[in-house]
Amino acid sequence: MKLNRKLKHHLSSALFKSYILSCMIGTGVIFGSALILVNLIFWILETYVENWYMVYRSLYVWMAAIIIWGIYIVQLTYRLLKKVDGYVDELQDAAEKLFDHNISYIELSSEFGDIAVKINHLKQESEKNARLAKESEQKKSDLVMYLAHDLKTPLSSVIGYLILLREEKQISEEMREKYLSISLEKAEQLENLIDEFFEITRFNRSNITLQYSRINLTRLLEQLIYEFQPMLKEKNLQCNLTAPGDVMLRCDANKVQRVFENILRNAVIYSYSDTEITVRVDVKEESIELCFENRGNTIPSEILEHLFEQFYRLDSSRGTNSGSGLGLAIAKQIVELHGGTITAQSKDENIRFRITLPAS
């Protein structure tokens, strides 16, 4: 981990100033003491000794002072180097603690106040990344499991009915037609599922180019609701559209239709029977807002946060009828490609998806 230039300058400047100041104080004390001692000896000899001679003897005092000064400088330099070495050891110890999950906070000397904050921030980021990596790995494992389950269920049905058709030689035309119809339905489910997997992979791994055109949004929604009538009748649902006349929208028509299909299918699957689904379009100055609302089990807030993740479903059973868990993830990616937003809310058995798209 590198120290920034400002911090390195601060540390080196503080150490250098401390070293120079200690040298100056020590030098002053040693040679000042030597000078006082020489003058004191001279005064004593002048006062009490006749015909004294001290020229060479005074040199001994200065030589002793120089030796003591040298020892002091060496000791001071050693202490400086030891302090620097201590800083290095402290940083190395902090680096080792950086990936120790048993330590929540790394403490450093006061001189490393700024870097201590950065090291602990880096520690938090590394732990967060490690957690995200673990979650990502878990999602990959879940993906393999879910993929195997979702592909195997309709495939097993197709194989089972085809075996019946092969082994039952005396089967009636009515039963044969029924088995063939079921096999075709399951095969179509399998095809749709595989298409969704390819679709999410395409959105994840390539740059999608939108083919913009100007469409009548109101007519698109009316046509979509009409196509969903068979699914709506199965649960005796009503779907009503509220829009201010013909609302025009510039978008990639096919991809935006895919968004509405996914949201509406989700609403049908998780709606109570004998209830109503409402689709409302509001035109604002710079955006067009669409609201899909239905009655169903209230979705907890902790689940709402994951609704738009790939392969996430509301139900834990992961039945085939509940879809692949890709629809909302694909819807979010398409909306964001258009520069819009999509959110989900749920309260008091009311589920609402809100889509905002640029008006032009």
Side-chain angles (χ1 to χ4, degrees):
M1 182 176 184
K2 295 183 178 180
L3 300 177
N4 59 51
R5 185 175 299 178
K6 183 178 179 181
L7 182 57
K8 288 193 292 186
H9 176 73
H10 171 74
L11 287 174
S12 60
S13 176
L15 289 172
F16 181 73
K17 287 180 180 179
S18 176
Y19 178 74
I20 295 299
L21 182 61
S22 298
C23 287
M24 292 174 63
I25 293 174
T27 300
V29 170
I30 292 171
F31 287 102
S33 299
L35 180 60
I36 292 172
L37 180 60
V38 169
N39 290 331
L40 180 61
I41 293 174
F42 278 15
W43 178 78
I44 292 173
L45 293 175
E46 286 181 346
T47 305
Y48 299 104
V49 180
E50 295 182 359
N51 300 322
W52 60 274
Y53 184 74
M54 186 63 185
V55 175
Y56 293 107
R57 291 179 175 81
S58 64
L59 292 178
Y60 298 151
V61 176
W62 290 111
M63 288 177 63
I66 292 174
I67 293 172
I68 294 174
W69 177 80
I71 295 173
Y72 173 76
I73 294 298
V74 170
Q75 184 183 17
L76 196 63
T77 304
Y78 172 76
R79 288 174 58 190
L80 173 66
L81 295 176
K82 189 175 181 180
K83 193 170 187 179
V84 172
D85 186 61
Y87 285 155
V88 173
D89 290 340
E90 189 173 3
L91 290 176
Q92 289 178 340
D93 184 58
E96 293 176 358
K97 294 178 180 178
L98 193 60
F99 301 101
D100 189 346
H101 299 294
N102 296 322
I103 299 175
S104 59
Y105 186 82
I106 300 174
E107 295 184 359
L108 295 175
S109 302
S110 58
E111 294 88 345
F112 293 109
D114 293 337
I115 197 173
V117 174
K118 294 183 178 181
I119 285 180
N120 282 286
H121 177 71
L122 180 60
K123 179 176 176 63
Q124 293 173 358
E125 286 295 319
S126 65
E127 291 176 351
K128 178 182 177 182
N129 292 334
R131 185 175 65 256
L132 292 176
K134 185 177 180 180
E135 291 176 357
S136 177
E137 191 65 28
Q138 182 62 43
K139 286 182 180 179
K140 290 180 182 179
S141 299
D142 292 342
L143 169 58
V144 174
M145 181 181 66
Y146 296 158
L147 177 60
H149 177 277
D150 288 344
L151 293 179
K152 185 177 180 180
T153 301
L155 185 59
S156 297
S157 297
V158 172
I159 294 173
Y161 282 109
L162 289 177
I163 291 175
L164 284 175
L165 289 172
R166 185 187 66 181
E167 296 180 349
E168 294 290 339
K169 303 299 183 180
Q170 305 299 323
I171 190 171
S172 65
E173 284 299 322
E174 182 181 353
M175 293 302 296
R176 183 183 300 275
E177 182 67 25
K178 179 181 179 181
Y179 289 167
L180 286 174
S181 297
I182 295 175
S183 297
L184 178 60
E185 179 185 350
K186 296 298 181 181
E188 288 174 347
Q189 288 181 4
L190 185 60
E191 182 184 27
N192 292 334
L193 185 60
I194 293 174
D195 287 342
E196 282 196 341
F197 281 120
F198 278 122
E199 185 78 5
I200 198 68
T201 302
R202 187 167 67 89
F203 273 95
N204 284 340
R205 296 191 177 184
S206 62
N207 295 322
I208 304 299
T209 302
L210 299 177
Q211 303 296 326
Y212 280 95
S213 61
R214 194 166 182 80
I215 66 169
N216 189 321
L217 180 61
T218 306
R219 297 293 170 261
L220 175 62
L221 291 170
E222 288 176 347
Q223 178 64 27
L224 186 61
I225 293 173
Y226 176 78
E227 293 174 358
F228 266 78
Q229 286 304 314
M231 287 185 64
L232 293 168
K233 288 181 179 179
E234 288 181 5
K235 299 180 70 172
N236 195 27
L237 299 173
Q238 294 291 327
C239 186
N240 297 320
L241 171 65
T242 302
D246 292 334
V247 178
M248 305 304 294
L249 175 67
R250 185 174 178 272
C251 63
D252 187 316
N254 291 330
K255 291 183 175 61
V256 166
Q257 180 177 344
R258 178 70 181 275
V259 173
F260 300 152
E261 287 176 350
N262 290 343
I263 298 298
L264 192 54
R265 182 179 295 107
N266 193 78
V268 172
I269 291 173
Y270 294 106
S271 284
Y272 293 143
S273 298
D274 305 315
T275 58
E276 179 182 357
I277 298 174
T278 60
V279 182
R280 187 176 66 254
V281 180
D282 294 322
V283 180
K284 300 185 179 180
E285 292 184 4
E286 298 182 354
S287 64
I288 296 175
E289 188 176 278
L290 298 97
C291 183
F292 294 77
E293 193 167 344
N294 66 285
R295 299 287 296 175
N297 290 326
T298 301
I299 305 173
S301 58
E302 60 271 16
I303 293 181
L304 282 173
E305 299 175 359
H306 302 284
L307 270 186
F308 298 100
E309 293 180 3
Q310 297 174 18
F311 306 104
Y312 188 86
R313 293 179 184 169
L314 288 178
D315 58 330
S316 58
S317 61
R318 301 191 56 84
T320 304
N321 293 333
S322 66
S324 64
L326 293 172
L328 294 180
I330 293 174
K332 180 181 180 182
Q333 290 181 327
I334 294 175
V335 170
E336 290 180 347
L337 280 172
H338 282 81
T341 60
I342 180 171
T343 58
Q345 297 175 324
S346 182
K347 184 179 181 181
D348 299 330
E349 297 186 326
N350 189 70
I351 303 170
R352 181 185 297 115
F353 283 86
R354 193 181 303 275
I355 301 172
T356 303
L357 294 169
S360 60

